[in-house]
Amino acid sequence: MKRVLITSAIPYVAGVKHLGNLVGSMLPADIFARFCRSRGYDTLAICATDEHGAPVELAALEEGTPVADYAAKWHKVQKELGDRFALSWDNFGRSSSPQNHELTLHFARALWKNGFLEIRVTKQAYSPTDKRFLPDRYVIGTCPHCGYDRARGDQCENCTRVLDPIDLIKPRSAVSGAADIEIRDSTHLFLKQSQFSDRLRTWIDSHKNDWPSLVTSIAYKWLDEGLQDRGITRDLEWGIPVPDDIADGQLKGKVFYVWFDAPIEYIAATKEWADNNGKGDAWKDWWYGDAAKDVTYWEFMGKDNVPFHTVGFPVTIMASGEPWKLVDRLKGFNWLNYDGGKFSTSGKRGIFMDAALDVAPADYWRYYLIANAPEGSDSNFTWEQFAGIINKDLADVLGNFVNRVTKFCVARFDGQVPGEGEYGEDEKALIAELDRRFAQYADFMEAADFRKAMGEMRAIWVAGNEYMTRAAPWTHIKTDRAKAAVGVRMGLNLIHQFAHLVWPVMPDFARTIHECIQPVGYRGGVIPFPDAPMAELLDDLTPGQPIKAPEVLVTKITDEQVAELKARFGGAGA
């Protein structure tokens, strides 16, 4: 059986995530995981909350809550919102877990033993006003590369360049706003990334045909600019403490940098999954040694996370000298922008997951976002586009097809699959077209080419509608009941297969329409992908089988509602 390991970039635990976060990692990872399960693959999908680092400390400080309590509260909120969006993780872990503490220390000790860590005295920002060293994210200022005036001390969110606080122009404290920043000596632990340039390049070369150009271009840019050694400790209280057996206790009071321990949480969250389910060392079968050689490991993330997954985390794995699994397929995404501007958690700009569910069901968002995923370039959300796609694709094309076929069956064939008549040339032509289109859709999904896959899925719905217009059972019922029965039977079989096809993307919608055809079966479980020849699949329903018509499947979004939503959420001009 094919084995597929899937991880999403783990979201910061601070606050509710916006739709850009969702479509940039978590949603495509979930849709791909559901697709793999529908094909019968042995699939493990892992995510977690990223709970260490300066942003979490700062957010807890602003809220006046102990940081451990803050992280626990928001982990619960993010897990609940993920459940409401039907994100089907096998485990949604926490980077503050005992498992991640254990594994982070394991890797740090291996790297120290192998000589790839060393102590260095660095220049670091210190705030006399705050009476403390300021870790990178505690310092904000102007980016020296692009001029963005709210760049953080670790990375500019505008141009994505990785920074150090001392790089910033006009730096100031993120805690107090004080500009009396001094540069003082501080001792830290550095990972010798520069020694892995050639090995990383060879490894990335081996994947340049498997990874999007977005990913390889970012990775090569880092290598071409000269790979720098990276500090992996910080002056913080919240995090995984550096143990005394590393550096002879010289780093007492310091913790590991969040970007060192966060990717290790992928492995640790898998161990959490095994521990929570009584699976012993089964987590190693996905990550370690010969047992994991047949695993295909996929990572999903936004482009700002790509450097840490093509350089930082792979160097940690390589430097350990141990046979841990490296990523096979890395799917990076550009930005989803909001009405001409950027989504921003810190700026509270855009649509956040909790508010989105107040506006429309999760499946509406899942379909819209993945059909417009920012794969080849940045994409832009507008309320007009959202309403247009929901109204056209889901209401007019898919929802209308299901409603008119099932209602006609209930009204004219006593709510049972009709058995009269034989499929003719029109039905055979449709079967041939759908054989080709289902195979193409499957190929796109196997490659995680989501926009192409959604285009093919919509074309399948359109083909069904065009067939039904030609078959016109509502016309033939007056003069040729057998001919009308053929059209209805084909339509019902199409609905059945549509339910199987759309399950990875719209699981609730899929179950609703599936239960119109088969009231029992697949409730709460995987709806398998339709892999058999269409000639079999489109004659699968048994004559006399009961059919029910659903309530309105998709409620259209009116122009008045669009205007209200724009006023409520604002936009580029708001």
Side-chain angles (χ1 to χ4, degrees), residues 117-160:
L117 299 180
E118 71 177 20
I119 300 171
R120 296 182 187 177
V121 176
T122 66
K123 300 297 184 182
Q124 188 168 332
Y126 182 87
S127 169
T129 299
D130 299 331
K131 296 183 175 59
R132 62 176 294 171
F133 281 106
L134 297 176
D136 20 21
R137 281 189 174 233
Y138 277 56
V139 187
I140 54 177
T142 299
C143 175
H145 303 288
C146 71
Y148 180 60
D149 65 359
R150 288 192 57 79
R152 303 184 304 259
D154 64 340
Q155 186 178 29
C156 175
E157 76 170 0
N158 185 58
C159 70
T160 77

Side-chain angles (χ1 to χ4, degrees), residues 24 77 96:
V77 170
S96 63

Side-chain angles (χ1 to χ4, degrees), residues 335-457:
W335 304 132
L336 172 68
N337 292 322
Y338 175 67
D339 204 14
K342 285 192 172 182
F343 277 89
S344 172
T345 299
S346 58
K348 297 179 172 59
R349 187 176 191 282
I351 311 158
F352 291 74
M353 288 172 66
D354 52 353
L357 292 171
D358 291 338
V359 171
D363 278 357
Y364 288 28
W365 291 109
R366 287 174 63 98
Y367 175 75
Y368 167 82
L369 289 169
I370 206 66
N372 296 277
E375 291 178 309
S377 61
D378 291 352
S379 59
N380 187 50
F381 175 90
T382 67
W383 286 107
E384 290 86 353
Q385 183 196 46
F386 175 68
I389 287 176
I390 298 306
N391 292 347
K392 185 174 182 181
D393 290 8
L394 297 190
D396 290 344
V397 180
L398 180 57
N400 182 55
F401 181 87
V402 174
N403 275 302
R404 63 175 176 162
V405 173
T406 54
K407 287 181 178 178
F408 187 77
C409 176
V410 169
R412 304 307 297 265
F413 289 92
D414 300 323
Q416 296 180 355
V417 176
E420 304 100 306
E422 300 292 333
Y423 285 171
E425 293 306 312
D426 206 15
E427 288 73 31
K428 291 176 183 177
L430 177 65
I431 286 168
E433 179 182 359
L434 294 188
D435 265 327
R436 175 176 58 82
R437 289 199 177 278
F438 272 62
Q440 184 64 77
Y441 169 84
D443 288 345
F444 287 144
M445 287 292 282
E446 289 278 359
D449 285 334
F450 294 109
R451 291 184 70 144
K452 291 179 180 178
M454 295 307 102
E456 199 65 41
M457 184 161 71

Side-chain angles (χ1 to χ4, degrees), residues 421-499:
E422 300 292 333
Y423 285 171
E425 293 306 312
D426 206 15
E427 288 73 31
K428 291 176 183 177
L430 177 65
I431 286 168
E433 179 182 359
L434 294 188
D435 265 327
R436 175 176 58 82
R437 289 199 177 278
F438 272 62
Q440 184 64 77
Y441 169 84
D443 288 345
F444 287 144
M445 287 292 282
E446 289 278 359
D449 285 334
F450 294 109
R451 291 184 70 144
K452 291 179 180 178
M454 295 307 102
E456 199 65 41
M457 184 161 71
R458 187 183 184 281
I460 289 168
W461 303 340
V462 169
N465 274 275
E466 290 174 346
Y467 163 79
M468 193 56 59
T469 298
R470 294 191 302 271
W474 30 85
T475 298
H476 293 299
I477 193 68
K478 303 171 186 176
T479 57
D480 190 340
R481 183 177 175 85
K483 190 172 183 64
V486 167
V488 171
R489 187 165 69 253
M490 174 60 83
L492 293 171
N493 275 283
L494 284 169
I495 292 169
H496 186 200
Q497 299 313 316
F498 289 172

Side-chain angles (χ1 to χ4, degrees), residues 82 163 193 279 304 349 360 421 475-476 534:
L163 303 170
Q193 291 186 153
K279 293 182 178 292
D304 55 332
R349 187 176 191 282
T475 298
H476 293 299
M534 282 294 134

